[in-house]
Amino acid sequence: MHFDTLALRATHQPDPTTGAVVPPIHLSTTFARNEANELPANYAYTRPNNPTRESLEKAIAVLEGGAVGMAFGSGQAAAMTLFQALRPGDHVLLSTDAYYGTPALLEQVFHPWGLTYTRVNMSDLDAVESSLHENTRVVWCETPSNPMLSITDLLTISRLAHEAGAICVCDNTWATPVLQRPIDFNVDVVMHSTTKYISGHSDVLGGALVFRQDNEFTQRVRQLQGLSGAVPSPFDCWLVSRGIKTLGVRVRAQSLTAQAIADFLNDHPAVDKVHYPGLTNHPDRALIQQQMNGPGAMLSVQIKGDAADAIQFISRLRLFTRATSLGGVESLIEHRASVEGTNSTTPKNLLRLSIGLEHADDLIADLAQALNQ
């Protein structure tokens, strides 16, 4: 079944009581028992389980080809709950080029608690293998990475993780299941910030985990999800489910525009470097074609000059909104090092672009006038 059909089938569940084509939002925090003191639908309280959230979790699992899906209040809540399922003394192997919030979570929250971690270049497979320890329990990768758009060989990384007795986790927020399904490459857990492309309209905060198997570790994470209450509201779940219906058409349209913009910027004399998986000179082009169905709608560009030059360039743009986050219908741009703070390793002249649904010609014209001033 093609992705667009699958996305609609996964989220199109007419209400069995009324026949409503759009399913209702179950806002109730508690559920009544019958005369025998039983729960007719196995719902007792909305923190451990809710019909609207359950519907979203099943849909995301279907899209990623996994056995179990879990929805959270944010992508960080999803990551935190997975790390909480580990034990003090366990080791996490993490990519050097990843969303800055993930290592911040490990360093500021879990390292004092007893979790150890190592950061490694996931493109260097020998370095990955030599960084695996006897107590490594999770190998966490992100591909394409944020913000350098590095590509990780999922099949090889997952094999190395399994040989070491660890699970492989992939942050698939940027690629989405439209363009990449890590479980197809033996990844054990897929993570999403559903705030981004899956909801797609910059109006809801959410996260998700999808597990390849329903095993003991999966059930431990499920238990922690309910105990911690790191869950989205029913209305947020409904908004994410609505976004899934148009996920395929949005990502494909945004990717086409991003490709045109990347090609334009790559040839411009005021640009030092473009980071985008769709460029023909990308060093991992063969791997991209092997594990991705398209290059995506995120790109980073290094303007010639320093941080001040990059920020001044942003100020001249008219159609790009100067804001963080990504994956919405509007095009966004940000100076990434400023967002990441003083410990950022991102090049100071790098700008991250999230391409929306505006016409490609208009966005290119806007970039051109800003570059030519």
Side-chain angles (χ1 to χ4, degrees):
M1 194 178 295
H2 290 84
F3 183 87
D4 293 349
T5 308
L6 193 66
L8 285 171
R9 294 273 295 185
T11 55
H12 181 72
Q13 300 162 0
D15 180 36
T17 303
T18 65
V21 172
V22 178
I25 306 172
H26 295 275
L27 296 174
S28 180
T29 58
T30 190
F31 300 85
R33 296 177 180 269
N34 60 21
E35 294 177 355
N37 201 40
E38 299 169 334
L39 294 166
N42 293 319
Y43 299 107
Y45 187 63
T46 199
R47 175 165 44 80
N49 201 6
N50 174 277
T52 307
R53 188 169 82 239
E54 185 178 80
S55 176
L56 170 62
E57 291 176 337
K58 290 180 178 178
I60 293 177
V62 167
L63 297 186
E64 284 287 3
V68 177
M70 299 180 201
F72 295 85
S74 67
Q76 283 293 83
M80 175 172 277
T81 306
L82 187 139
F83 291 140
Q84 284 175 325
L86 302 177
R87 307 290 185 184
D90 287 347
H91 175 253
V92 175
L93 191 60
L94 176 72
S95 175
T96 51
D97 182 27
Y99 169 59
Y100 78 106
T102 307
L105 193 62
L106 287 167
E107 177 62 27
Q108 298 175 32
V109 178
F110 289 101
H111 184 62
W113 172 74
L115 207 62
T116 62
Y117 72 96
T118 303
R119 302 190 69 178
V120 66
N121 178 4
M122 291 282 174
S123 298
D124 186 343
L125 298 177
D126 290 335
V128 171
E129 189 168 15
S130 63
S131 300
L132 290 164
H133 307 327
E134 289 185 0
N135 61 335
T136 302
R137 297 293 175 263
V138 169
V139 176
W140 184 290
C141 60
E142 180 180 314
T143 182
S145 67
N146 180 2
M148 303 301 293
L149 291 108
S150 301
I151 305 300
T152 297
D153 184 341
L154 292 175
L155 195 61
T156 302
I157 293 295
S158 62
R159 176 180 60 79
L160 292 174
H162 295 158
E163 289 175 352
I167 64 169
C168 183
V169 181
C170 177
D171 183 338
N172 199 35
T173 298
W174 279 27
T176 81
V178 179
L179 304 178
Q180 178 175 269
R181 298 215 308 180
I183 287 174
D184 292 344
F185 300 93
N186 297 329
V187 168
D188 300 286
V189 187
V190 177
M191 194 281 277
H192 282 281
S193 170
T194 56
T195 307
K196 311 305 192 296
Y197 285 103
I198 289 183
S199 60
H201 292 79
S202 303
D203 56 8
V204 59
L205 188 68
L209 296 173
V210 178
F211 296 79
R212 183 163 61 102
Q213 296 177 333
D214 187 1
N215 54 27
E216 184 179 352
F217 183 76
T218 304
Q219 290 308 308
R220 176 162 171 76
V221 177
R222 173 70 84 185
Q223 179 189 37
L224 290 170
Q225 178 199 33
L227 288 173
S228 67
V231 295
S233 71
F235 183 59
D236 288 348
C237 291
W238 184 85
L239 285 173
V240 175
S241 293
R242 184 178 66 169
I244 287 174
K245 298 178 190 295
T246 60
L247 177 60
V249 292
R250 283 189 286 106
V251 168
R252 287 194 299 274
Q254 290 166 306
S255 297
L256 286 172
T257 301
Q259 181 71 65
I261 289 172
D263 290 337
F264 162 75
L265 292 172
N266 200 43
D267 294 331
H268 200 284
V271 171
D272 188 34
K273 189 172 184 179
V274 177
H275 305 270
Y276 184 65
L279 293 177
T280 55
N281 62 350
H282 195 288
D284 296 312
R285 185 160 179 80
L287 179 59
I288 291 164
Q289 293 175 328
Q290 173 186 320
Q291 70 185 30
M292 296 183 70
N293 297 320
M298 294 297 301
L299 61 101
S300 292
V301 56
Q302 291 179 246
I303 303 296
K304 287 186 177 177
D306 56 16
D309 295 311
I311 293 171
Q312 188 176 32
F313 164 74
I314 293 179
S315 70
R316 297 194 292 265
L317 292 169
R318 300 164 184 163
L319 296 182
F320 286 82
T321 300
R322 297 183 293 276
T324 194
S325 198
L326 56 102
V329 295
E330 61 287 307
S331 291
L332 306 178
I333 190 167
E334 68 175 356
H335 181 246
R336 192 63 192 162
S338 297
V339 174
E340 295 178 350
T342 55
N343 295 325
S344 173
T345 59
T346 297
K348 303 304 180 185
N349 63 340
L350 183 139
L351 302 171
R352 193 186 75 179
L353 285 73
S354 171
I355 306 304
L357 289 175
E358 302 91 345
H359 196 283
D361 292 348
D362 295 328
L363 293 176
I364 289 173
D366 189 30
L367 291 165
Q369 63 82 22
L371 286 167
N372 295 334
Q373 287 188 40

